Amino acid sequence: MKTFIVLIQILYLGNAFHTAPKTLTSQRLSAVGSNAVIKLQTHLHSSTTSETTTSSTTPKKLSRDRYVATNRFQVRPNKSAAFEKRWATRKSRLATLDGFKYFHLMRRVSLESSEDPLDGEFGNYVSFTVWDQKKDFNAWRRGDAFKEAHGGTSIAAFLSTMVSSALILKGAPKPAFYDGLLFQSTAPDVTPELVDGWRNVEADGINCLPAECFVACNQFHVPAENSIAFEQRWANRDSVLKECDGFVAFSMLRRQVGGGGGSHGDDKGISGTDDPSYVSTTIWKDRESFNKWREGNAFKAAHGNGKETVKKSEPLWIKPPTPIFYEGTLVISTEDGA
């Protein structure tokens, strides 16, 4: 009975809506990716949002630039290649759907060989999908394309998906949904080959797929009363990130939690409890590009380690930020980027 319940959870929660953990490095990169915001004119909440305003000069939460859907997976030991094969060979037409912007599957890695990237409370794989608007995501998950991608077209396909998931995954997937703030990206030099809206790659289930990008994240646990100040602080940062070699995309992700959304999330607030309420996410062409930025002047300037002294502000989070790192594979992107 317990196995059956886990299987049901896997199908319900883990329908892989195309979807971070204790510190992976002893080197505290307190805001990895925090350089990632150029000094942007930020979009404040408009009359179409749920926010109410009292004055045009009152600071407000930032408006959403993108909608980001993630799913976190704990893959069993020695099952990584099999898990990646399932993704590589799945039936999906994601790239043909209205509002789709970007996708990759992330496998967690460490910066130091002594650390175990598979040991993490948030799982060792994350699917990461960027949509232009939340309504585009909702249209996908309610349509036939979602059913096709998740084995829901027949009873046989349903049972096959359940059994396969139970053999590869440890527990049910954990979806998480975000408002993508301060989004910026570059157009890719080339776009990967697609067949009917999905990647066309060889996957043997024995060897892991090659890395196609490197992702640096930083988790912030910000209490709700500090959320506006936190967002405004990021919005007013200076950065030359877009000028750095190998930069692909950046976003500050604001977690959506609370009433009514079920496993699909909603837009009612953020939380500073177990899961991080904000995650800065920077995508690089490869690890070499990330290391070059981290060791260069752009990183020092963004983090107050340059020649000029940067005035330190009081932290707005309840505990130090936690950096985590991934390799991305099965990248799908529009021609203009994420």
Side-chain angles (χ1 to χ4, degrees), residues 198-212:
W198 191 246
R199 286 294 300 273
N200 182 29
V201 299
E202 293 292 331
D204 57 16
I206 300 174
N207 301 292
C208 287
L209 297 173
E212 298 175 347

Side-chain angles (χ1 to χ4, degrees), residues 142-215:
R142 293 168 181 161
D144 291 338
F146 178 88
K147 297 176 183 177
E148 293 169 3
H150 299 93
T153 56
S154 68
I155 295 298
F158 173 89
L159 293 175
S160 175
T161 299
M162 291 177 65
V163 172
S164 179
S165 295
L167 294 175
I168 293 176
L169 299 179
K170 184 178 179 180
K174 298 179 180 179
F177 304 89
Y178 303 89
D179 292 330
L181 313 177
L182 300 167
F183 226 98
Q184 56 176 311
S185 68
T186 58
D189 295 330
V190 295
T191 54
E193 178 186 0
L194 304 178
V195 175
D196 298 326
W198 191 246
R199 286 294 300 273
N200 182 29
V201 299
E202 293 292 331
D204 57 16
I206 300 174
N207 301 292
C208 287
L209 297 173
E212 298 175 347
C213 64
F214 186 79
V215 187

Side-chain angles (χ1 to χ4, degrees), residues 125-321:
Y125 279 85
V126 181
S127 64
F128 183 93
T129 310
V130 180
W131 297 90
D132 188 32
Q133 300 181 57
K134 185 178 180 180
K135 69 177 184 179
D136 300 318
F137 164 76
N138 286 334
W140 165 74
R141 70 179 176 88
R142 293 168 181 161
D144 291 338
F146 178 88
K147 297 176 183 177
E148 293 169 3
H150 299 93
T153 56
S154 68
I155 295 298
F158 173 89
L159 293 175
S160 175
T161 299
M162 291 177 65
V163 172
S164 179
S165 295
L167 294 175
I168 293 176
L169 299 179
K170 184 178 179 180
K174 298 179 180 179
F177 304 89
Y178 303 89
D179 292 330
L181 313 177
L182 300 167
F183 226 98
Q184 56 176 311
S185 68
T186 58
D189 295 330
V190 295
T191 54
E193 178 186 0
L194 304 178
V195 175
D196 298 326
W198 191 246
R199 286 294 300 273
N200 182 29
V201 299
E202 293 292 331
D204 57 16
I206 300 174
N207 301 292
C208 287
L209 297 173
E212 298 175 347
C213 64
F214 186 79
V215 187
C217 300
N218 214 13
Q219 299 178 328
F220 299 90
H221 292 76
V222 180
E225 60 269 22
N226 290 345
S227 61
I228 292 177
F230 179 80
E231 293 178 17
Q232 292 295 329
R233 183 177 294 179
W234 276 80
N236 289 292
R237 290 175 62 97
D238 287 313
S239 174
V240 294
L241 188 63
K242 242 184 173 181
E243 301 174 16
C244 297
D245 292 339
F247 170 76
V248 175
F250 169 85
S251 181
M252 173 58 74
L253 303 181
R254 178 175 62 205
R255 179 70 186 274
Q256 291 191 354
V257 297
S263 64
H264 302 297
D266 58 56
D267 0 10
K268 294 189 177 180
I270 56 176
S271 170
T273 55
D274 294 336
D275 281 5
S277 45
Y278 291 89
V279 183
S280 66
T281 302
T282 312
I283 306 173
W284 297 90
K285 180 180 178 180
D286 47 35
R287 188 186 290 223
E288 182 181 357
S289 297
F290 165 75
N291 286 333
K292 183 177 180 181
W293 163 77
R294 183 164 62 101
E295 296 166 359
N297 292 330
F299 176 87
K300 294 176 182 178
H303 296 84
N305 295 322
K307 293 181 179 180
E308 296 183 4
T309 301
V310 176
K311 182 180 179 180
K312 292 186 177 180
S313 302
E314 289 296 323
L316 297 170
W317 45 82
I318 59 177
K319 61 181 180 180

